[in-house]
Amino acid sequence: MDSIHRLTPLFTSQQIASRIDELALEIKRDYQSRYPLLLGILKGSFVFLADLVRCLDFPVELDFIRVASYSAGKITSGQVKLVSEPVASLTSRHVLIIEDIVDTGLTTDFVGSWLKERGPASVRLCTLLDKPTRRRRLVEVNYRGFIVPNRFIVGYGLDMNEKYRNLPGISVINGE
Ligand code: PRP
């Protein structure tokens, strides 16, 4: 039987939308003449990427990479593996990685290393959420929505055992 979690709102959908507007302006300033490839890391980034691209009023290409972290519930093992790679050619492209959250940094470190072997012109990282207190890898975040506390966060693409990704806002699961 599923347990019922108590959720405490952290960011409303309005707060997220407003911050994404600001991030989009920064990205436009840096990329509008470069036809960037926005590369979402699945699954968590799908909501953020969908909202972000609709705020970008210049040509962009989209693709996805899917990776998996071996974990049991909330505990990350530290191992990341590639599940499916992008279709787009990455050589000489300006790639902007799109993440929902950077936590330990293991996922973005893995994806960044994987990308660099494919000869992109540049690689940068945009994350909606950043939890720097949990970092295990040095990760340069170029565009950051919000810094978040070291709590278990769900909603807006983020899950707990695959639940809550569909919540429009972001909440802390109490007691986690
Ligand atoms: C989450 C999130 C990031 C990653 C960040 O993905 O979407 O990709 O964790 O954590 P890290 O910085 O500690 O690596 P998860 O592995 O839970 O898979 P999902 O995107 O399919 O939910």
Side-chain angles (χ1 to χ4, degrees):
M1 174 109 169
D2 288 347
S3 54
I4 307 282
H5 297 108
R6 193 158 53 90
L7 304 182
T8 302
L10 187 60
F11 302 112
T12 65
S13 54
Q14 291 82 5
Q15 288 172 313
I16 296 167
S18 165
R19 187 70 187 109
I20 290 176
D21 281 342
E22 295 170 348
L23 288 174
L25 283 176
E26 288 182 49
I27 291 168
K28 178 177 179 177
R29 179 196 65 204
D30 296 342
Y31 282 99
Q32 62 182 330
S33 60
R34 297 185 181 188
Y35 188 49
L37 174 64
L38 271 58
L39 187 68
I41 303 182
L42 294 173
K43 300 180 202 173
S45 70
F46 80 105
V47 181
F48 175 42
L49 181 58
D51 282 345
L52 177 66
V53 291
R54 285 178 289 175
C55 295
L56 298 176
D57 59 354
F58 62 96
V60 300
E61 183 176 350
L62 297 180
D63 209 330
F64 297 92
I65 185 169
R66 185 165 178 190
V67 298
S69 296
Y70 292 107
S71 62
K74 293 163 286 168
I75 310 299
T76 304
S77 70
Q79 282 183 293
V80 181
K81 78 163 186 173
L82 183 69
V83 176
S84 64
E85 56 183 83
V87 174
S89 170
L90 301 160
T91 309
S92 305
R93 295 302 305 271
H94 291 287
V95 180
L96 181 58
I97 299 170
I98 308 294
E99 259 292 29
D100 52 334
I101 186 166
V102 179
D103 189 335
T104 63
L106 289 163
T107 301
T108 43
D109 183 61
F110 175 89
V111 171
S113 299
W114 187 89
L115 281 172
K116 280 176 185 159
E117 290 171 10
R118 278 141 189 91
S122 67
V123 177
R124 285 184 173 184
L125 170 63
C126 173
T127 186
L128 180 64
L129 307 174
D130 188 2
K131 199 189 273 185
T133 53
R134 291 250 308 161
R135 210 65 106 239
R136 291 169 59 185
R137 293 285 183 280
L138 190 62
V139 170
E140 184 182 5
V141 177
N142 304 101
Y143 308 92
R144 173 190 294 107
F146 303 100
I147 290 181
V148 294
N150 187 13
R151 304 294 301 276
F152 202 93
I153 292 166
V154 295
Y156 202 76
L158 287 88
D159 74 307
M160 182 181 199
N161 296 330
E162 296 302 325
K163 297 192 187 69
Y164 304 120
R165 291 192 200 272
N166 55 320
L167 298 179
I170 293 172
S171 294
V172 170
I173 293 199
N174 284 49
E176 299 296 338

